[in-house]
Amino acid sequence: MSETQHHFIHQRIEHDLASGKHQQICTRFPPEPNGYLHLGHAKSIVLNFGIGQDYAGWTNLRFDDTNPAKEDAAYVAAIQQDVRWLGYTWHAQHFASDYFEALYDYAVQLIRRGQAYVCDLNAEQVRAHRGSLTEPGTDSPYRNRSIAENLDLFARMRAGEYPDGSRTLRARIDMAAPNINLRDPTLYRIRHGLVHHQTGEAWCIYPLYDYTHPISDALEGITHSLCTLEFADHRPLYDWILDNLDFDPRPQQIEFARLNLSYTVLSKRKLTRLVAEGHVSGWDDPRLPTLAGLRRRGYPASAIREFCHRIGVTRADSLVEMAMLESAARDELDQTAPRRMAVLNPLKVVITNYPADQTEALTAPNHPKRDDLGARTLTFSRELYIDQADFRATANKKYKRLVLGGEVRLRHAYVIRAEKIIRDETDQIVALHATYDPDTLGKNPEGRKVRGVIQWVAAATAVPAEVRLYDRLFQVAEPGKTADLINDLNPGSLQIRPDAMLEASLAQADTATPCQFEREGYFCRDITDTADGRPIYNRTVSLRDTWQNI
Ligand code: ATP
Ligand code: MG
């Protein structure tokens, strides 16, 4: 498995180590607990924790929880589980809300220095004063309040004396700054009636992200604060806050391109909508790009890390092909997954020349290239199942499976010949009568060539199961680009095979071990549902990329 290529952030860090700016490199992963983590977050996790590991430093998990309206303790627990599952251990866990008291004190300091003021403009008025990309803003009429008045008003904001939206605390920077983020940005707003998952009802004023983040980074001793490109224009404000509060040494913000993946959405807002409106079964629906969904789908954590290594880290936005994620999973599962046989659409086969009271134990290796994975026993008997797709009454020579009067090899067992189709009174095929050649176990028949090999399971020992096949959740590469997201959903994204039959060794299979169903793909047992006691298997990924040229 490859490691991340050396990229511009590594170069920056090595420069900072060589120059003596830092002795130890410290990073953080700062999710907002307002939804489940997705593959975009995985990119950030692998980057941040990878740097902590690569440079013998450390990485914190910090919940960026300054907006109680959308946050919830249940998301905190889900995020912790997902980070651990991806294989990382945080140095310390913090909540931005742990710093609410400190953040308040720093705001008082800014007021004392004449660098922050309480503004009575409402949101609309603030916007009107802000100017535009081509026009400077205009000063708020409250910009020159005395320090004493600002201190008094800010304390009374905290005490709950004013309604929502009536006042804000703003940084006093420059209303004519070319960078709009520096035009006296809001630091605090009033939010009554919310119950914060950490601080309860202790606060009715909440600090904004741009104010909270640099101070949280500095308080934790973060050296490199990595975020996505849309924050590049916020970096001057990040630096302004730390400079004006005399933090030294201070963290360095560095931006990188966010991950965009074709045929899916990587935005908590959009994912929340899919879950809330019931377009998927929940945050762990195996079609979602959430880490919970991918885990349930059977993606190994190592394949997701490998995918993050392969996509690399740059400053250029791009759309990564879903096929890259799938091939990372295939490459890993090909090496590790034991091979099994499963028949998704069963057709009963009666081997008429095999005695009804006889069974035979056949040994089959678990992996074609790895003897260390051992072998399992398959039971051969008179009644078997093969897949309906592997039999046709007639077919041309290109069809390498079973036709009436033709032969096929049953994997790890004998060559059989299809003799007769048995139909019920409505003309439906109910079974196939066949004969087997006892002389073909582990060797080719004499004088004839059998080209096809198909999977099978013995009827007596088969494990009935439900198998779920997944296709892409969206039918267009960039969902929601031209129409409402929901119109782009793929109606065939879930296909259920309710009557599948699995080989007996899968009766005891645990949920943690993915396997390959030969000729069908990589599968794993569902960790959430069973179908009336029967196991459910999810297809993680097919054996080949069937989307390549679409
Ligand atoms: P979303 O738009 O999905 O809500 P977010 O950036 O608001 O994403 P946060 O919980 O605030 O979500 O993100 C935590 C960290 O993960 C941030 O550092 C953010 O930059 C990073 N991150 C989020 N989405 C992506 C992505 N698609 N690619 C890379 N990093 C991402
Ligand atoms: Mg966010």
Side-chain angles (χ1 to χ4, degrees):
M1 293 278 145
S2 65
E3 287 300 311
T4 317
Q5 286 165 8
H6 207 73
H7 53 66
F8 72 102
I9 299 180
H10 293 132
Q11 287 167 9
R12 187 71 175 270
I13 287 172
E14 283 159 25
H15 177 268
D16 289 346
L17 285 169
S19 72
K21 182 178 177 193
H22 299 295
Q23 270 69 52
Q24 193 174 36
I25 301 303
C26 308
T27 58
R28 86 289 169 263
F29 171 62
E32 182 175 0
N34 62 351
Y36 277 56
L37 298 183
H38 52 64
L39 274 169
H41 296 111
K43 175 174 181 176
S44 177
I45 294 169
V46 171
L47 173 63
N48 278 294
F49 282 89
I51 283 172
Q53 290 172 350
D54 290 348
Y55 296 97
W58 48 254
T59 304
N60 282 350
L61 174 61
R62 179 186 329 129
F63 291 99
D64 174 28
D65 57 348
T66 56
N67 182 7
K70 290 186 175 165
E71 296 158 4
D72 197 287
Y75 295 130
V76 170
I79 290 169
Q80 291 167 330
Q81 184 189 5
D82 287 348
V83 174
R84 284 199 196 99
W85 175 71
L86 256 195
Y88 297 104
T89 307
W90 46 90
H91 171 74
Q93 173 183 289
H94 296 287
F95 291 90
S97 55
D98 294 344
Y99 309 130
F100 279 173
E101 198 64 51
L103 289 160
Y104 181 85
D105 291 343
Y106 283 119
V108 168
Q109 261 189 59
L110 287 176
I111 294 172
R112 288 219 165 90
R113 294 171 173 213
Q115 285 163 330
Y117 62 97
V118 173
C119 181
D120 301 0
L121 297 181
N122 63 31
E124 204 177 307
Q125 293 165 323
V126 168
R127 218 171 298 126
H129 278 73
R130 195 176 287 138
S132 66
L133 287 173
T134 49
E135 306 238 327
T138 42
D139 286 1
S140 159
Y142 306 98
R143 198 169 197 261
N144 294 317
R145 273 178 164 151
S146 71
I147 289 173
E149 189 183 3
N150 280 319
L151 287 172
D152 176 56
L153 288 171
F154 189 48
R156 290 164 69 179
M157 274 170 65
R158 176 180 183 169
E161 290 186 28
Y162 311 121
D164 284 10
S166 61
R167 290 194 157 95
T168 54
L169 184 74
R170 297 176 68 181
R172 195 165 186 274
I173 308 181
D174 179 2
M175 287 308 292
N179 182 337
I180 292 182
N181 292 300
L182 295 178
R183 294 184 189 170
D184 292 10
T186 303
L187 306 180
Y188 270 87
R189 59 186 170 175
I190 301 172
R191 304 293 299 271
H192 286 283
L194 296 173
V195 181
H196 188 284
H197 60 100
Q198 292 294 313
T199 58
E201 292 172 285
W203 294 86
C204 65
I205 56 172
Y206 286 97
L208 274 88
Y209 174 90
D210 279 342
Y211 172 68
T212 308
H213 212 79
I215 296 176
S216 306
D217 283 343
L219 291 174
E220 290 175 25
I222 303 303
T223 55
H224 296 82
S225 179
L226 313 179
C227 63
T228 43
L229 279 179
E230 64 270 25
F231 290 99
D233 286 346
H234 298 237
R235 187 175 357 121
L237 176 55
Y238 183 100
D239 290 339
W240 184 92
I241 287 166
L242 295 176
D243 282 347
N244 285 283
L245 290 169
D246 301 328
F247 280 103
D248 182 38
R250 61 164 219 234
Q252 172 67 49
Q253 175 179 309
I254 303 175
E255 308 86 22
F256 64 94
R258 64 189 297 117
L259 170 64
N260 302 303
L261 195 61
S262 62
Y263 296 97
T264 192
V265 288
L266 295 182
S267 144
K268 272 184 284 186
R269 186 174 53 79
K270 292 176 186 166
L271 294 169
T272 303
R273 179 170 171 213
L274 294 175
V275 173
E277 293 179 5
H279 302 291
V280 293
S281 64
W283 283 103
D284 68 347
D285 188 299
R287 292 168 294 181
L288 288 180
T290 53
L291 298 185
L294 291 163
R295 174 166 66 237
R296 186 170 167 197
R297 173 103 170 232
Y299 270 82
S302 52
I304 294 175
R305 292 195 302 268
E306 172 64 15
F307 166 72
C308 292
H309 292 318
R310 289 183 189 177
I311 58 175
V313 176
T314 68
R315 281 185 63 90
D317 269 318
S318 66
L319 186 64
V320 174
E321 288 297 318
M322 180 67 99
M324 269 188 82
L325 175 69
E326 293 170 350
S327 73
R330 276 188 203 103
D331 290 351
E332 154 106 27
L333 291 169
D334 179 41
Q335 302 296 314
T336 57
R339 274 40 171 180
R340 293 290 179 259
M341 290 200 287
V343 172
L344 305 193
N345 299 296
L347 168 63
K348 184 172 264 190
V349 178
V350 181
I351 312 287
T352 53
N353 61 340
Y354 197 90
D357 56 357
Q358 186 176 320
T359 61
E360 211 169 325
L362 305 174
T363 302
N366 282 328
H367 195 284
K369 289 172 250 162
R370 289 188 52 188
D371 292 342
D372 61 308
L373 292 184
R376 84 277 194 193
T377 301
L378 302 171
T379 307
F380 194 82
S381 60
R382 182 178 160 94
E383 295 199 349
L384 315 168
Y385 296 110
I386 65 168
D387 202 286
Q388 287 167 21
D390 287 334
F391 171 72
R392 286 189 202 161
T394 55
N396 67 23
K397 286 241 166 9
K398 283 193 202 144
Y399 187 72
K400 300 280 188 291
R401 304 172 229 177
L402 192 59
V403 293
L404 217 47
E407 285 184 310
V408 78
R409 172 172 291 284
L410 298 180
R411 179 93 167 128
H412 304 301
Y414 298 97
V415 170
I416 62 167
R417 177 188 302 275
E419 306 284 1
K420 188 179 169 197
I421 297 172
I422 310 298
R423 296 176 189 272
D424 65 11
E425 56 281 5
T426 64
D427 222 27
Q428 294 291 315
I429 299 181
V430 289
L432 185 65
H433 282 182
T435 50
Y436 86 117
D437 179 345
D439 207 26
T440 54
L441 187 62
K443 60 180 177 184
N444 289 327
E446 308 256 322
R448 29 201 238 279
K449 204 164 180 188
V450 178
R451 293 217 280 197
V453 183
I454 62 172
Q455 76 274 24
W456 57 280
V457 296
T461 55
V463 180
E466 176 176 311
V467 171
R468 296 178 179 172
L469 306 177
Y470 301 101
D471 203 340
R472 294 177 182 183
L473 184 55
F474 292 94
Q475 49 196 349
V476 299
E478 295 180 75
K481 198 178 181 190
T482 53
D484 184 41
L485 192 67
I486 302 308
N487 295 331
D488 291 335
L489 282 166
N490 173 6
S493 60
L494 167 62
Q495 289 185 34
I496 295 182
R497 300 284 178 266
D499 304 313
M501 291 290 178
L502 316 179
E503 69 168 69
S505 70
L506 288 167
Q508 268 81 44
D510 60 35
T511 51
T513 312
C515 53
Q516 184 193 100
F517 290 174
E518 295 205 40
R519 298 177 66 228
E520 297 288 2
Y522 295 99
F523 290 78
C524 78
R525 198 165 180 153
D526 194 80
I527 48 186
T528 308
D529 292 351
T530 60
D532 300 327
R534 287 175 304 143
I536 293 173
Y537 271 81
N538 296 314
R539 182 157 71 190
T540 311
V541 65
S542 59
L543 293 177
R544 256 163 264 100
D545 184 2
T546 50
W547 277 68
Q548 239 150 26
N549 300 317
I550 295 175

